[in-house]
Amino acid sequence: SGSFSATGSGLYTPYTASQGPLPPSVSQGLPLAQPPFSGQPVSTQRLPTQVPGFASPPSSTGIGPSSYPPTTGAPRPPTMPGPPLPVQTAAGPPTSQPNHVSSPPPPPSTLSGPYQGPPMSGLRGPPPPTHPPQPGYQMQQNVIEDDRSNRGSEPFVTGVRGQVPPLVTTNFLVKDQGNASPRYIRCTSYNIPCTSDMAKQSQVPLAAVIKPLATLPPDETLPYLVDHGESGPVRCNRCKAYMCPFMQFIEGGRRFQCCFCSCVTEVPPHYFQHLDHTGKRVDFYDRPELSLGSYEFLATVDYCKNNKFPSPPAFIFMIDVSYNAVKSGLVRLICEELKSLLDYLPREGNMEESAIRVGFVTYNKVLHFYNVKSSLAQPQMMVVSDVADMFVPLLDGFLVNVNESRTVIISLLDQIPEMFADTRETETVFGPVIQAGLEALKAAECAGKLFIFHTSLPIAEAPGKLKNRDDKKLINTDKEKTLFQPQTSFYNNLAKDCVAQGCCVDLFLFPNQYLDVATLGIVTYQTGGSIYKYAYFQVRTDQDRFLNDLRRDVQKEVGFDAVMRVRTSTGIRATDFFGAFFMSNTTDVEMAGLDCDKTITVEFKHDDKLSEDSGALLQCALLYTSCAGQRRLRIHNLSLNCCTQLADLYRNCETDTLINYLAKYAYRGVLNSPVKTVRDALINQCAQILACYRKNCASPSSAGQLILPECMKLLPVYLNCVLKSDVLQPGLEVTTDDRAYIRQLVTSMDVAETNVFFYPRLLPVVTDVDSDSLPAAIRNSEERLSKGDIYLLENGLNIFVWVGVNVQQGLIQNLFGVSSFSQISSTLNTLPVLENPFSKKVRSIIDMLQVQRSRYMKLIIVKQEDKLEMLFKQFLVEDKSLTGGASYVDFLCHMHKEIRQLLS
């Protein structure tokens, strides 16, 4: 009963007690090998951490609560560089030596490496200069670089309570010694105020961004799978928390006291073990659940629906075969790709083949189901034209094993493009397509995923029929929120049914016009699925991006029929949740599917006092069905410190996580409030956070100085990026569908993704072809661009290649294969494969960037002074945007004014 199941695999490390204690990397803190590092450390210029001279900004900037310029048009999807660091930071409580520097807005900081984000160093500025600094005054501010060099070389060992992890921009190795890895959980603060009054005073949100199935790098150990046999995992009698390293064994090991609710529970006889002289169980290092922060339990039948072990999940591919889909070549492309992709369905560890069964549906105004039973010579089609009352016309032969039915499936995929080649049908249905998939999974009594490839607004007569309600005139009015809300409750109800069955919906959209993402995306969103969008899809330019996304989506690790609960120790509780899921009560987060890219963000509030001695604990428990149909519980534990001094709170915050939370909070806010109200609330909350710090933690100084906490230097620059994002301030070319799409994407993003999404990474393309690392990122401003250079800008959805008008002819020849700037084609979607070192170098950098992102980024060539440059400039987020978003310096002035008003 004390052994670990050996059914694990590539995803889990199987382990049996007979093998002796856990490997040294787990049980004793031996050093581990370093992971490969894609970006070399590069020095960042340090900037003054304090921006003085903002006492009374010139009136010409028009900055003030009422006249503050609207912000807009900045980031889109995810990337990762680090912004500038102006302002002065003060670390900790008042000191006799003031640590603020007066200086004008700083020069850029160059940032490097895989991800760039805010600082967390304990740097102090130099003593104040005796005369006003000149504009060129600089202070080296190697924030990101400091974190890299200080924290990237040693493993991050998780044995200490309340440790702030390295930044998401630092490449580091994690050694689990009792707390979950920051790859699974990141917090806005690792030191929680002891009282709710103190939390309210600071206005710092207390939240955790949880990614339960996160992918680990190859040199980190995957969670062990623990099998306690028929009795199942050991839990607290009262609060049902799972056994973890923080439980206290008493009475010689016969009982344990729960670290969450203090209830004392008998240790089951089979689980009993003696204690050593320190009160630790003697099998402490043999049991992952006693010594590690993250692990899995094999669930018993009590954890299954209807007390029955689940069947392996199924994948159903549902292809729109209306006129546009066929004419664009999309249907043929999907069918060709599926032939080979079916060999890459997710499988459990060392299994020979995937246990997942597959089915196929095509649709326009009616649905066509296919019987691909292995005994058939040819596939059979069955048409359901009564879309008002959807049913599945066949059970046997619809969901099949790929290997058994391979020849019939290949035959079907060859025939589909031919069958619909001459279609004239332009109208589609959508609701009945999801209903059909749901009914098929119900009939097969299994969970699964629908892959729906859809092209247009569903206007055909059917349940879930929609009308075009796109109206740009609603922007900046009180009715703007309706653009983000679904136009009918039909899809909310359908989503609820899907979650109950474990039917997850992934949606691939190929629109040529408005198709109401806000409504169609509801089922995807509430079932934990993913949405992909390829506007004006053309096979020639978009197939790489679509096929890469599809391959990754089909292959990635997914847990089905998932329920997550977050337990906390006495004093705080989880009160709010953000992400792609459904909740039927206040505690359980339900997801028909949860994949390795999805995060759930949880906010905590006080319901009692906390103590500095005991700290605070959280335990995230995820119950799910694996791709082989195994019911499992994945457990992540984290211990945090508690403080009675505000300075301790401000010293242990994480700006990247804070911005992730604030963006999600704001993006949910637009569903119910005018966008302006949401933006003002964001600015106000951040001003309050910084004013509280200034008042309670910074040493006395003149009101003309803007003083920021050491770990929040980048809060203003990142906040300005969120305010300028398309959801909160749409750019000129941004469609209603784009805004709904981005709102949905961001809600499930992890911290590294939002970091690069809001502050894109801008890399100069250096001509040194011998270096293997990424060039150092530079600040996102037009004044950083030189006419004689080439730059890459990535944000998680797009990669721009910006070419200056004065770039040397030789470089243009080597990169684009043409002899002059004027001959470069802006319609290229990949760089030509040329046999020279410079071409190879640039293409390898782009490949490195692609690998770091969860979606395949679209490549866009931008020639300086060309029409596409307007789009590119929206991503230079430190500059004033075309639709009125503030420049970074103007926003800093505005924040300073807000803070001073709060203080006075």
Side-chain angles (χ1 to χ4, degrees), residues 313-466:
F315 283 1
I316 304 178
F317 297 93
M318 315 186 88
I319 306 169
D320 173 346
V321 288
S322 63
Y323 177 74
N324 274 347
V326 174
K327 188 188 67 167
S328 66
L330 178 63
V331 172
R332 187 173 295 281
L333 185 67
I334 293 168
C335 291
E336 278 305 312
E337 182 59 28
L338 288 180
K339 288 185 206 170
S340 53
L341 198 49
L342 293 174
D343 287 328
Y344 295 95
L345 299 176
R347 65 183 84 178
E348 203 82 79
N350 46 15
M351 288 173 58
E352 287 292 302
E353 58 178 63
S354 173
I356 292 172
R357 291 176 296 162
V358 297
F360 302 89
V361 172
T362 55
Y363 67 94
N364 38 47
K365 264 198 333 200
V366 299
L367 277 77
H368 323 103
F369 293 79
Y370 297 95
N371 184 346
V372 284
K373 199 172 173 178
S374 56
S375 55
L376 295 174
Q378 281 294 324
Q380 295 172 345
M381 177 204 274
M382 299 185 188
V383 180
V384 175
S385 49
D386 181 7
V387 289
D389 183 17
M390 186 42 63
F391 67 99
V392 179
L394 74 159
L395 294 182
D396 188 29
F398 179 63
L399 293 177
V400 297
N401 172 293
V402 172
N403 283 341
E404 289 170 12
S405 293
R406 184 177 302 275
T407 47
V408 196
I409 292 173
I410 298 294
S411 171
L412 170 67
L413 293 171
D414 282 335
Q415 289 178 47
I416 287 174
E418 308 309 328
M419 272 190 289
F420 298 99
D422 300 325
T423 185
R424 286 283 167 265
E425 186 53 74
T426 55
E427 292 189 356
T428 59
V429 297
F430 186 73
V433 179
I434 296 174
Q435 287 173 328
L438 172 61
E439 291 304 323
L441 294 176
K442 268 189 192 163
E445 296 183 355
C446 68
K449 188 185 272 199
L450 312 183
F451 295 83
I452 303 180
F453 305 93
H454 189 78
T455 60
S456 59
L457 189 71
I459 55 172
E461 214 36 71
K465 172 184 175 180
L466 300 178

Side-chain angles (χ1 to χ4, degrees), residues 610-629:
L610 295 164
S611 101
E612 282 187 285
D613 295 340
S614 52
L617 299 175
L618 51 119
Q619 181 179 80
C620 161
L622 177 79
L623 174 66
Y624 72 98
T625 301
S626 75
C627 62

Side-chain angles (χ1 to χ4, degrees), residues 630-649:
Q630 215 176 36
R631 203 73 176 140
R632 291 179 171 176
L633 283 150
R634 181 169 287 201
I635 313 294
H636 299 296
N637 303 286
L638 190 63
S639 59
L640 302 168
N641 286 328
C642 297
C643 57
T644 53
Q645 299 296 317
L646 282 164
D648 290 330
L649 164 68

Side-chain angles (χ1 to χ4, degrees), residues 253-275:
R254 286 188 296 280
R255 297 174 158 206
F256 68 92
Q257 183 165 24
C258 178
C259 51
F260 294 94
C261 72
S262 303
C263 172
V264 174
T265 300
E266 294 276 334
V267 172
H270 72 83
Y271 197 70
F272 173 78
Q273 190 53 271
H274 294 285
L275 308 184

Side-chain angles (χ1 to χ4, degrees), residues 346 530 532 552-558 595-598:
S530 302
Y532 300 84
R552 188 167 189 279
D553 196 60
V554 167
Q555 295 175 54
K556 67 185 172 187
E557 184 192 348
V558 187
D595 66 49
C596 56
D597 296 325
K598 295 284 188 305

Side-chain angles (χ1 to χ4, degrees), residues 774-897:
L774 287 173
I778 59 173
R779 283 174 54 184
N780 265 349
S781 170
E782 190 172 358
E783 64 186 37
R784 304 286 156 212
L785 303 178
S786 150
K787 290 185 173 186
D789 289 327
I790 299 172
Y791 298 84
L792 297 177
L793 182 143
E794 62 123 354
N795 70 346
L797 293 192
N798 303 300
I799 297 182
F800 293 92
V801 181
W802 183 90
V803 188
V805 288
N806 297 342
V807 171
Q808 293 170 14
Q809 191 180 334
L811 290 181
I812 289 175
Q813 181 71 54
N814 284 343
L815 192 56
F816 297 102
V818 295
S819 53
S820 69
F821 178 81
S822 61
Q823 290 177 298
I824 299 170
S825 165
S826 299
T827 60
L828 287 176
N829 62 307
T830 52
L831 289 176
V833 178
L834 302 172
E835 287 304 315
N836 67 72
F838 185 60
S839 171
K840 286 178 182 167
K841 168 75 180 171
V842 177
R843 284 182 288 113
S844 83
I845 291 175
I846 289 172
D847 291 343
M848 278 156 96
L849 299 180
Q850 291 285 19
V851 168
Q852 290 175 9
R853 304 286 162 243
S854 62
R855 288 166 183 248
Y856 194 82
M857 295 182 282
K858 180 177 185 173
L859 188 78
I860 301 170
I861 310 289
V862 179
K863 294 158 70 175
Q864 188 179 4
E865 296 165 10
D866 198 27
K867 58 181 184 296
L868 271 175
E869 202 182 23
M870 295 283 274
L871 172 66
F872 172 77
K873 282 180 180 175
Q874 288 184 22
F875 296 92
L876 300 176
V877 288
E878 285 194 39
D879 299 340
K880 189 172 187 279
S881 65
L882 299 168
T883 40
S887 73
Y888 173 45
V889 172
D890 285 351
F891 182 67
L892 215 48
C893 295
H894 177 64
M895 278 305 281
H896 189 206
K897 186 172 175 182

